[in-house]
Amino acid sequence: MKPIQKILIANRGEIAVRVIRTAKKMGIRTVAVYSDPDSQSLFVLSADEAYPLGGTDARSSYLNVDKVIEACLATGADAVHPGYGFLSENTDFAKKLEQHGISFIGPKPHSIEAMGDKIGSRILVAKSGVPVVPGYEGESQEMSVFKKEADKIGYPVMAKASAGGGGKGMRRINSSDELEAGILSAKREAMSAFGDDRILLEKYIVNPRHVEFQIFGDTQGNIIHLHERDCSLQRRHQKVVEETPAPNFPSSLKSKMAEAAVMAGKAVQYEGAGTVEFILGENGEFYFLEMNTRLQVEHPVTEMTTGLDLVEWQIRVCQGEPLPNLQTPKQNGHAIEVRIYAEDPKEGFLPSIGKIHHLSFPTREDLRIDSGVVTGSEITMYYDPMIAKLIVWGEDRQTAIQRLIECLSETIVFGPKTNLQFLQKLVSTDQFAKGTVSTHFIADHEDLLLKENTKEELKYAFAGLFFSSKQTLDPWSPIR
Ligand code: ADP
Ligand code: ADP
Ligand code: MG
């Protein structure tokens, strides 16, 4: 296969900026595509070329397959990097690119299709010997069948949208009285989010951890794993903090799970970067949850501890190169990522839109900031309100946590409300320090995590006054 000359990034925000950075390093030209509200965004300014998709919301821009393909043809891009979300796991998009002779930087369409459906992927990986959560994934969607199957599984059960993603279409059901309402509500959410309301049932694993493995495959059939990530700190089934190595994770368990992850990848002849997610029960039993056939939001923690550039690997594999290393590389130290959002924790974490009057992070060697916004940028209602991912490295977990707390306290966002204080409280808890949190931790301690911190609030208020009077000196700022 010939080397890629020009990559179109079919995404926006921090991940578009992230992909552009590696493409530049490799001497590959980049094309940004953008919607109307994004025309002045950092990722658009960072790319070598930019092509307008028009439209405002995702559906009329980044999710519009025909418009994105038109952009590829108009700009002569020979490859597309889909980032995460949007079209990254869309089989139809990958197939259409193939038909136009444009490379999709990701797995083959058949792998995306096989893993895109939770019912189908459970059946498939179970056949290769990967443990799946006991449950029901039959054809019938009759309420009487769900009732019978839920009784067999034993309550509590989890009703899940087969087409689900991003924590949507999922309901915990505690008893047969709640079953019908739970299933109908999961179906409603699934239909509106994914246009597909098929549901499966799983045994609800109580107080579990979420542990996933980064895997990588090439076109020669090699598949390796690049260690695990613990993403147990979640809100509404969405990750908030991610780290590697997983704390309190015996090496015997790690080898068993890593082997299962590679097996799942082999089951779909996986090529490129993928993540196999597992749920880990209190007694050390683990089960396959799903495979995400794309780069993951939390991939930087893997990069910080292995020294690898996963986007570079994705591009090389797409060009037909073999994996540079057929052994799992050693991990060095510990890395933790937190997702900083423009949202109001006190208002049910409602997105907080508006202009960012000031944004600054500490600059230090052990800190990486992945962000798609700068001082002067606007957080709009159209897309995910993530401001930045803050990723710290430490020689060991304790050092990493200490540095994370410092970095969060030195981060200033003035304008929209943010989850900064919430994150700071979260990573300062004893339970997090001990590495004993389950996926229920945030929900169980919400009151404590949301409590006012007067000293901090004052500091932010002063910082805000200071920076709003100073205007912006940021050279990247579109409002300079
Ligand atoms: P990660 O582990 O990378 O956070 P998520 O499943 O939470 O994985 O998804 C990452 C991003 O992709 C989020 O922004 C999420 O909202 C989005 N996403 C995931 N699945 C879908 C889907 N089926 N449709 C639309 N967006 C999705
Ligand atoms: P999504 O595609 O939305 O990411 P997942 O199947 O990966 O859906 O599940 C997301 C999260 O929901 C998991 O990380 C876990 O916290 C929770 N979860 C999923 N399945 C179960 C289950 N059977 N029991 C308990 N929690 C679950
Ligand atoms: Mg998941």
Side-chain angles (χ1 to χ4, degrees), residues 214 353 438:
Q214 176 70 55
I353 56 174
S438 83

Side-chain angles (χ1 to χ4, degrees), residues 18 214 216 226 295 299 303 308-314:
R18 158 76 193 89
Q214 176 70 55
F216 231 102
L226 301 176
L295 194 68
H299 77 279
E303 296 186 323
L308 300 169
D309 180 335
L310 296 191
V311 174
E312 180 179 341
W313 274 42
Q314 286 189 298

Side-chain angles (χ1 to χ4, degrees), residues 96-377:
K96 280 196 174 143
L97 287 175
E98 210 169 47
Q99 284 158 13
H100 281 93
I102 301 164
S103 303
F104 177 75
I105 303 177
K108 290 277 175 295
H110 73 85
S111 312
I112 305 177
E113 194 158 29
M115 287 298 183
D117 184 69
K118 290 198 202 295
I119 292 180
S121 63
R122 264 176 65 98
I123 298 174
L124 183 80
V125 303
K127 271 195 203 137
S128 1
V130 178
V132 299
V133 192
Y136 166 72
E137 69 256 311
E139 288 265 310
S140 171
Q141 295 282 303
E142 292 293 326
M143 202 53 77
S144 58
V145 176
F146 282 131
K147 277 219 160 84
K148 208 177 79 211
E149 293 292 337
D151 283 338
K152 245 198 270 173
I153 298 165
Y155 289 94
V157 297
M158 185 77 123
K160 258 190 201 182
S162 187
K168 289 205 190 81
M170 230 180 279
R171 295 289 181 277
R172 173 182 172 153
I173 300 171
N174 293 307
S175 68
S176 60
D177 303 345
E178 296 176 9
L179 187 81
E180 183 159 350
I183 286 184
L184 292 178
S185 135
K187 275 187 179 287
R188 266 195 306 275
E189 189 169 307
M191 187 45 97
S192 81
F194 315 111
D196 174 350
D197 70 353
R198 284 170 308 127
I199 295 287
L200 68 146
L201 295 181
E202 282 181 0
K203 179 158 190 60
Y204 188 94
I205 310 294
V206 180
N207 281 323
R209 288 164 67 183
H210 172 115
V211 177
E212 60 186 31
F213 277 78
Q214 176 70 55
I215 66 160
F216 231 102
D218 64 18
T219 52
Q220 280 84 40
N222 303 304
I223 301 186
I224 64 167
H225 78 87
L226 301 176
H227 304 282
E228 78 283 4
R229 290 183 289 253
D230 186 321
C231 315
S232 299
L233 280 175
Q234 304 184 346
R235 243 199 92 248
R236 299 201 173 148
H237 312 304
Q238 283 181 292
K239 299 159 190 164
V240 178
V241 180
E242 305 102 346
E243 62 178 308
T244 188
N248 304 322
F249 193 47
S251 62
S252 55
L253 179 59
K254 172 168 174 168
S255 348
K256 273 194 260 170
M257 290 178 71
E259 195 189 335
V262 170
M263 240 159 25
K266 289 200 166 143
V268 292
Q269 298 86 45
Y270 200 76
E271 290 173 15
T275 295
V276 182
E277 298 188 334
F278 295 99
I279 194 158
L280 175 59
E282 286 174 301
N283 303 324
E285 74 282 15
F286 67 90
Y287 307 102
F288 170 88
L289 276 181
E290 65 162 345
M291 176 167 182
N292 291 323
T293 55
R294 54 170 163 86
L295 194 68
Q296 204 92 345
V297 176
E298 56 275 20
H299 77 279
V301 294
T302 302
E303 296 186 323
M304 297 270 275
T305 50
T306 57
L308 300 169
D309 180 335
L310 296 191
V311 174
E312 180 179 341
W313 274 42
Q314 286 189 298
I315 295 170
R316 292 195 184 283
V317 162
C318 181
Q319 291 177 155
E321 293 179 39
L323 293 178
N325 193 344
L326 295 184
Q327 239 82 65
T328 295
K330 260 184 102 72
Q331 258 184 321
N332 177 27
H334 198 99
I336 312 176
E337 172 182 285
V338 296
R339 304 185 187 191
I340 301 175
Y341 278 98
E343 61 187 14
D344 187 354
K346 294 206 172 61
E347 293 294 328
F349 294 85
L350 205 72
S352 173
I353 56 174
K355 193 188 274 294
I356 302 178
H357 294 295
H358 180 83
L359 176 64
S360 65
F361 302 97
T363 16
R364 41 194 281 178
E365 287 243 309
D366 47 23
L367 173 67
R368 164 172 166 181
I369 302 292
D370 279 18
S371 175
V373 291
V374 292
T375 292
S377 296

